[in-house]
Amino acid sequence: FGNVKQLIAQWKALLQRFGRSDADQLLGVEALEIFVMDDKWKAHKLMMPILKALNDEEVIGENAILDWASEASTRDSVGKTLHAECKQLIEYLEEDDEDEDDEDEDDDDDE
């Protein structure tokens, strides 16, 4: 998996150009589904570590991941399987998003 992180860091600028909007990033996550569910890779459970690495490198944003997660959780068995595999990351991003919302409300109260 270390090679994946290295490749993401190496190609970060190019990947960011293809994922400028949340919608583009969501399409990237959906394309990643196809790769990680291939018979050669399915057993390795790569969706969560790759998504986390893409998010850490600011290639795929929290909004795109959370949008994908809400859609995948109600879709077919593949979507549900990948959603379950990424549960820990999704929960972390949801908590982080809630914390940011709380900070925004606190800032509004100070004004």
Side-chain angles (χ1 to χ4, degrees), residues 95-111:
E95 288 173 15
D96 191 45
D97 193 40
E98 288 173 10
D99 289 345
E100 286 177 12
D101 289 345
D102 289 345
E103 287 175 15
D104 289 345
E105 286 176 14
D106 290 344
D107 290 343
D108 290 344
D109 291 344
D110 292 342
E111 292 176 6

Side-chain angles (χ1 to χ4, degrees), residues 6-60:
Q6 187 177 13
L7 286 170
I8 291 170
Q10 179 180 349
W11 293 99
K12 177 181 176 175
L14 181 63
L15 292 169
Q16 286 175 324
R17 286 186 181 195
F18 284 103
R20 291 183 181 170
S21 69
D22 287 348
D24 291 339
Q25 293 172 19
L26 179 58
L27 289 173
V29 175
E30 291 170 352
L32 181 60
E33 281 186 21
I34 296 166
F35 169 75
V36 300
M37 292 306 290
D38 184 87
D39 288 338
K40 293 184 286 188
W41 303 108
K42 189 188 289 187
H44 298 286
K45 299 190 182 284
L46 294 171
M47 188 69 166
M48 197 275 299
I50 293 175
L51 270 183
K52 183 179 182 318
L54 288 166
N55 182 253
D56 289 347
E57 288 292 328
E58 299 179 353
V59 172
I60 302 286

Side-chain angles (χ1 to χ4, degrees), residues 61-72:
E62 292 177 15
N63 290 340
I65 294 171
L66 293 175
D67 288 348
W68 167 80
S70 67
E71 183 265 330

